[in-house]
Structure formats: structure tokens, C-alpha cells
Amino acid sequence: FPPPGNGYIEGKELENFFQELESARKGAGVDSKKDNLGDKMKEFMHKYDKNADGKIEMAELAQILPTEENFLLCFRQHVGSSSEFMEAWRKYDTDRSGYIEANELKGFLSDLLKKANRPYDEPKLQEYTQTILRMFDMNGDGKLGLSEMSR
């Protein structure tokens, strides 16, 4: 939802987020109250916009997501400094191509989930891999360059 590099959701992006959320809830058979979308957004912001800046930042969004789906926060905890990031980069760029391809990303996510003691199966790992690629592969080449991964 946020544009590349922005790091937060606000305005129209937040409205789109809520529309997607409502659509997903309906698709999952969750009965949605007939509340006004604007009222839901205000309630949501009051509850989750911890610094009251009118934006939902990645750290705030990560707190909302179910634990099982929250691998971004897990990544930030696993790779806290730039030196740890570069160490992880070198470890998982196994072919030394300068990119993290899907199979290398899958290995990284598998190790990350094991370290965090979060259960997963092969289909879920594949889903996580594709989600990360959709979120961060800005040029659509199916792999993550250093600048994409560092985002």
C-alpha cells in the first residue's frame, strides 16, 4: 500500500487498506458490522497509531498482524544492524550473484522462522517467499538486489 521507500500508510492508502481488509473478511465469511468505513478508520487509528501522527508506520502495522504472519518484525529483530544485514546477505546469496533469488530467499525465511520458533509448512514458506518478493522486488525481476532487500 505505501509507495516505495515511504514506510507508512496514510490517506487514500489507508482507505484502500481498509477496503482490502473488509473484502478479505467477507471472503473469509466474517460477518462485518454495518459501521461506516470512516468510523472504522478513526477507531483503528486511535487504537494503533501509537505516536498519533496520522500514519500507520511499518512498526505499528507489524504489531497489528497475527504473529504467524509477522515475519517482517522477526526479520528486524534478527538483523538489527547494518553489519548483521551484510552478514545475512553474504550467507544467503549462496551463488554470489549479488542478488537474493527466490530459492535463496526461501532458505533465509526458513531459517528465520525456525529461529523464531514459528511453525510453517512448505506451502506457507512458498507463500511467505512470494509475499516478500511482491513487497520488495521493485523492478519485478524475481530477485532482490541489495537496495531492495535493505528496504
Side-chain angles (χ1 to χ4, degrees):
F1 291 95
N6 184 313
Y8 52 83
I9 300 174
E10 66 179 336
K12 185 68 176 165
E13 298 160 349
L14 187 59
E15 189 177 321
N16 291 342
F17 172 76
F18 269 93
Q19 289 171 344
E20 288 286 328
L21 182 62
E22 283 300 306
S23 176
R25 289 170 50 89
K26 287 177 186 170
V30 177
D31 186 25
S32 183
K33 296 178 183 174
K34 300 294 181 193
D35 297 335
N36 180 328
L37 184 61
D39 292 340
K40 286 183 179 180
M41 287 175 57
K42 286 178 188 172
E43 181 182 332
F44 178 87
M45 292 301 285
H46 177 73
K47 186 172 182 179
Y48 295 109
D49 183 16
K50 300 299 183 193
N51 61 3
D53 65 355
K55 304 171 188 173
I56 298 295
E57 298 170 11
M58 282 300 274
E60 292 166 330
L61 184 60
Q63 297 302 315
I64 298 165
L65 298 173
T67 303
E68 180 187 41
E69 307 292 27
N70 192 350
F71 47 78
L72 289 177
L73 218 180
C74 187
F75 173 77
R76 288 184 180 187
Q77 291 170 344
H78 178 66
V79 182
S81 69
S82 55
S83 63
E84 289 173 329
F85 174 80
M86 289 309 297
E87 182 179 324
W89 181 270
R90 285 188 295 276
K91 179 178 178 183
Y92 292 99
D93 180 16
T94 56
D95 64 0
R96 302 294 181 249
S97 66
Y99 295 94
I100 301 292
E101 285 90 3
N103 63 324
E104 294 166 330
L105 179 60
K106 192 173 173 183
F108 168 74
L109 293 173
S110 175
D111 289 351
L112 189 61
L113 291 165
K114 285 176 190 168
K115 184 173 182 172
N117 293 320
R118 295 188 181 175
Y120 66 92
D121 56 15
E122 186 60 30
K124 190 56 106 174
L125 183 59
Q126 186 63 33
E127 179 185 331
Y128 288 157
T129 302
Q130 292 308 309
T131 298
I132 292 292
L133 283 172
R134 274 194 312 275
M135 290 172 66
F136 297 104
D137 181 14
M138 303 315 296
N139 63 6
D141 63 358
K143 55 189 175 186
L144 300 177
L146 187 59
S147 64
E148 292 170 323
M149 187 73 171
S150 67
R151 284 187 62 237

